């Protein structure tokens, strides 16, 4: 089955109709480009010029759907029109076909037609003048250029502007897409950061509250219950203060108020004291006197949170025994080691979700550091195990990457 030609756009239909009607009006008025006695005219009378006029009007229907076919057929129609008295409507429609072939045709056609028509215009200027040796012969090249080169170059200019506009639009869409991806990643990263901060700030206090409230409910001893209630109150007040600080940071509108400072290693002493008040036997070892001096703020915050979460895990899951926290600088990194007893315990455990280990690992990864946690054999007691948390945070970003 033969392929059906695509339906011409409405504008092309109107252009073909306008060209045909205009040509018929000129024909009815007896207006032609050449006189009947002109040597160039092989077919006298008004009837013969209607054939190329009708053919050119049909080519206008294909100016966008098949531009190269329309131009080739239109060129034959123009050659036929040169043997008649001629119609200005036929020539005008041919210039439109040349323009459309460059604008809507393939890229190769758009590049070659201006060069071909330009060379043709030059040849049509020089050859007749060289043969006839009269100034009027130059008009042949002018007319040829006006009919071929001018519409072709105009079509190329319009096509280049359209392609530039399309490229700019594509770049704008890509930029908008990249901006949206960056925004999504930033929101995701901020949510993860807020989750870590919220967990690290509140989990320690809530774990202590859960453990001591369970102890107070399970032991029928007034002194123990009073002591547990005191610890519960201290942790609830501290937890509320931490929550207010986080909410204040989230509600900061960029005004004159400064957000609360992030915790630093200078606060490790208070953190250790709070852990001892919750019942942990904690010892802090700083092998270097300046282990916490002049640290980058992200490293200091991450180190504080890792120690805080390690003590929280020791309170929630560790068995009875000594907990040791060690900080030292070595090979351009701040190294953290927290050990706690590992095994069965006779006191209530607080439920855990594993978010603490995930948060500590994320904090180390964000600084291109290393993190590991797990149970190992206790070198000081045969057969016993301890839970060890190790982290190395580079003091210069990327040192351990």
């Amino acid at each position: 089955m033969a392929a059906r030609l695509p339906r011409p756009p409405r504008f092309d239909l109107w252009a073909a109709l306008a060209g045909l009607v205009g040509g018929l009006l000129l024909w009815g008025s007896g207006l032609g480009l050449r006189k009947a006695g002109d040597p160039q005219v092989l077919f006298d009378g008004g009837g013969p010029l209607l054939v190329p006029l009708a053919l050119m009007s049909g080519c206008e229907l294909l100016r966008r759907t098949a531009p190269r076919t329309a131009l080739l057929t239109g060129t034959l129609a123009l050659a036929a029109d040169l043997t008649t008295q001629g119609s200005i409507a036929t020539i005008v429609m041919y210039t439109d076909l040349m323009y459309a072939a460059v604008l809507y045709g393939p890229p190769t056609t758009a590049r070659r037609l201006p060069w071909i028509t330009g060379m043709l215009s030059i040849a049509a200027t020089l050859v007749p003048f060289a043969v006839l040796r009269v100034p009027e012969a130059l008009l042949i090249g002018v007319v040829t250029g006006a009919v071929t080169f001018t519409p072709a170059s105009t079509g190329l200019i319009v096509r280049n502007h359209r392609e530039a506009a399309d490229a700019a639009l594509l770049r704008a869409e890509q930029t908008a897409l990249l901006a949206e991806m960056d925004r999504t990643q930033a929101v995701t990263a901020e949510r993860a950061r807020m989750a870590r901060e919220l967990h690290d700030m509140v989990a320690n206090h809530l774990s202590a509250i859960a453990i001591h409230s369970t102890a107070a409910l399970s032991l029928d001893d007034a002194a123990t219950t009073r002591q547990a209630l005191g610890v519960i109150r201290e942790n609830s007040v501290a937890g509320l203060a931490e929550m207010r600080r986080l909410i204040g940071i989230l509600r900061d509108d960029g005004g004159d108020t400064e957000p609360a400072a992030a915790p630093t290693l200078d606060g490790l002493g208070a953190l250790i004291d709070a852990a001892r008040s919750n019942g942990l036997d904690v010892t802090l070892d700083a092998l270097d006197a300046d282990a916490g001096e002049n640290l980058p703020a992200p490293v200091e915050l991450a180190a504080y949170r890792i120690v805080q979460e390690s003590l929280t895990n020791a309170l929630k899951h560790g068995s009875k025994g000594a907990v040791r926290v060690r900080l030292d600088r070595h090979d351009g990194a701040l190294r953290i080691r927290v050990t706690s007893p590992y095994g069965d315990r006779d006191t209530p455990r607080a439920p855990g979700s594993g978010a603490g280990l995930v948060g500590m690992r994320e904090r180390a990864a964000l600084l291109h550091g290393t993190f590991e946690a797990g149970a190992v054999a206790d070198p000081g007691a045969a057969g016993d195990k301890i839970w060890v948390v190790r982290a190395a945070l580079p003091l210069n970003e990327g040192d351990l990457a």
Side-chain angles (χ1 to χ4, degrees):
M1 182 180 295
R4 298 179 59 184
L5 291 176
R7 185 176 181 179
R10 180 174 297 180
F11 178 83
D12 297 350
L13 182 61
W14 283 109
L17 183 60
L20 180 61
V21 172
L24 291 176
L25 290 177
L26 292 175
W27 172 77
S29 302
L31 297 177
L33 296 177
R34 291 170 291 275
K35 296 181 180 180
D38 196 316
Q40 182 180 345
V41 178
L42 301 181
F43 303 96
D44 294 333
L49 65 82
L50 295 179
V51 176
L53 176 64
L55 185 59
M56 195 71 74
S57 299
C59 293
E60 279 286 275
L61 298 174
L62 305 177
R63 60 189 298 274
R64 264 189 282 193
T65 56
R68 290 191 296 183
T69 302
L71 179 62
L72 180 60
T73 308
T75 302
L76 298 177
L78 181 64
D81 184 73
L82 294 176
T83 64
T84 68
Q85 289 184 281
S87 173
I88 188 65
T90 303
I91 297 177
V92 170
M93 285 190 287
Y94 181 79
T95 60
D96 182 62
L97 293 180
M98 182 67 70
Y99 170 83
V102 176
L103 182 59
Y104 303 114
T108 54
T109 302
R111 289 193 303 266
R112 293 174 182 174
L113 271 182
W115 287 99
I116 295 174
T117 56
M119 298 302 295
L120 180 62
S121 300
I122 294 174
T125 302
L126 299 179
V127 173
F129 179 77
V131 173
L132 302 177
R133 297 291 182 175
V134 292
E136 290 78 5
L138 297 176
L139 295 177
I140 299 176
V142 174
V143 173
T144 303
V147 174
T148 60
F149 177 71
T150 300
S153 58
T154 303
L156 182 61
I157 293 172
V158 175
R159 183 183 182 117
N160 289 337
H161 279 292
R162 286 189 178 182
E163 290 178 350
D166 292 340
L169 179 60
L170 179 61
R171 286 194 298 269
E173 292 176 350
Q174 292 176 343
T175 302
L177 179 60
L178 290 176
E180 180 63 21
M181 293 175 62
D182 290 342
R183 188 194 67 81
T184 302
Q185 292 176 356
V187 171
T188 302
E190 183 64 15
R191 286 178 176 176
R193 187 187 71 83
M194 291 171 56
R196 288 193 300 269
E197 290 294 321
L198 183 61
H199 178 275
D200 293 344
M201 287 192 304
V202 179
N204 183 42
H205 301 296
L206 293 183
S207 299
I209 291 173
I211 292 174
H212 285 84
S213 61
T214 303
L217 292 173
S218 60
L219 298 177
D220 188 13
D221 182 41
T224 302
T225 300
R226 185 175 183 83
Q227 181 182 4
L229 291 177
V231 174
I232 291 173
R233 184 184 184 281
E234 291 177 1
N235 281 277
S236 61
V237 171
L240 285 174
E242 293 283 358
M243 286 293 295
R244 291 192 185 99
R245 185 178 74 85
L246 179 60
I247 293 173
I249 293 175
L250 295 178
R251 287 183 174 177
D252 181 27
D253 57 358
D256 297 333
T257 58
E258 293 291 335
T264 64
L265 292 183
D266 293 336
L268 278 183
L271 183 64
I272 297 298
D273 292 340
R276 288 170 180 163
S277 66
N278 289 332
L280 285 179
D281 180 12
V282 187
T283 302
L284 174 62
D285 296 333
L287 300 185
D288 297 332
D290 58 347
E293 298 293 331
N294 300 322
L295 292 175
V299 173
E300 200 163 2
L301 175 61
Y304 181 92
R305 293 304 189 195
I306 289 174
V307 173
Q308 182 185 43
E309 181 58 27
S310 299
L311 295 179
T312 300
N313 288 341
L315 177 66
K316 292 167 60 177
H317 310 296
S319 58
K320 187 176 182 180
V323 178
R324 301 183 68 88
V325 179
R326 186 175 69 179
L327 300 175
D328 67 284
R329 291 190 182 188
H330 184 63
D331 293 338
L334 177 66
R335 301 185 180 272
I336 307 166
R337 187 174 187 269
V338 182
T339 61
S340 58
Y342 179 80
D344 297 334
R345 56 185 287 174
D346 53 2
T347 56
R349 293 180 182 268
S353 62
L357 293 177
V358 173
M360 289 190 286
R361 184 172 288 105
E362 288 179 350
R363 289 185 184 277
L366 287 174
L367 297 175
H368 301 284
T370 60
F371 174 83
E372 57 181 342
V376 298
D378 186 359
D384 293 339
K385 289 186 177 181
I386 57 174
W387 184 265
V388 181
V389 175
R390 295 188 184 91
L393 307 178
L395 303 181
N396 294 319
E397 184 177 353
D399 283 355
L400 299 183

